[in-house]
Amino acid sequence: MRREGSELAARVDGVLKGWWQHLSETVDTDRDGRIDMDDILAMVDHLPTIPEAVTATADTIFDAVDENADGRISRGEHQRLVDTWHGRPVETGGVFDRLDQDADGYLSRPEFAALWTQFWISDDPTEPGNLMCGPIGAG
């Protein structure tokens, strides 16, 4: 993932703060400024109603994960995304191969956006995007 202080770091920060703002406005109905696990789960349940907002975050995350800025996510770059997501190294096995559906060894920006959207809004456990941040149960 890219370094702090860059334009990209500011974009990532904006995405995260934007999600927090949206989360608090959507689920903190008592306006106490506190978000608990039930509130987070309510927000996740709300995400399928705003797919364009979910997809809009994909570009910024793609740029953050694409460390060498070659316009594609390699297996190693994806592994660092998974490890960062979990806060520790995670054995991913064949996850990348499931994500890389055209088997070219990379995730393109459109592939990544589709997978990212599946990760956040899919109810279908067979969709590969559910593995975007590592194997299910790796947490």
Side-chain angles (χ1 to χ4, degrees):
M1 304 283 230
R2 303 257 177 92
R3 301 275 178 218
E4 289 183 33
S6 70
E7 179 270 335
L8 179 59
R11 283 178 44 211
V12 169
D13 188 56
V15 164
L16 295 176
K17 286 180 179 172
W19 273 113
W20 178 255
Q21 183 67 32
H22 190 75
L23 174 66
S24 63
E25 290 171 358
T26 303
V27 300
D28 184 19
T29 55
D30 61 7
R31 303 290 183 240
D32 67 354
R34 299 173 62 115
I35 304 295
D36 61 21
M37 185 55 77
D38 288 338
D39 293 332
I40 291 172
L41 293 174
M43 180 60 185
V44 170
D45 288 343
H46 177 68
L47 292 177
T49 68
I50 54 168
E52 63 287 338
V54 174
T55 302
T57 65
D59 262 349
T60 297
I61 302 304
F62 181 93
D63 290 340
V65 175
D66 181 17
E67 294 174 345
N68 63 2
D70 68 352
R72 55 194 190 169
I73 306 292
S74 69
R75 185 179 302 271
E77 289 167 331
H78 177 258
Q79 181 66 55
R80 285 184 287 287
L81 166 67
V82 172
D83 293 348
T84 299
W85 179 267
H86 290 276
R88 62 179 172 74
V90 171
E91 175 56 47
T92 57
V95 164
F96 189 83
D97 294 329
R98 295 256 336 264
L99 298 174
D100 180 22
Q101 295 187 340
D102 64 3
D104 68 352
Y106 299 93
L107 301 178
S108 67
R109 189 176 295 273
E111 283 176 305
F112 185 89
L115 293 162
W116 186 253
T117 302
Q118 286 174 5
F119 176 78
W120 286 106
I121 68 174
S122 175
D123 283 333
D124 181 352
T126 66
E127 286 191 320
N130 291 311
L131 302 172
M132 181 61 106
C133 293
I136 296 173

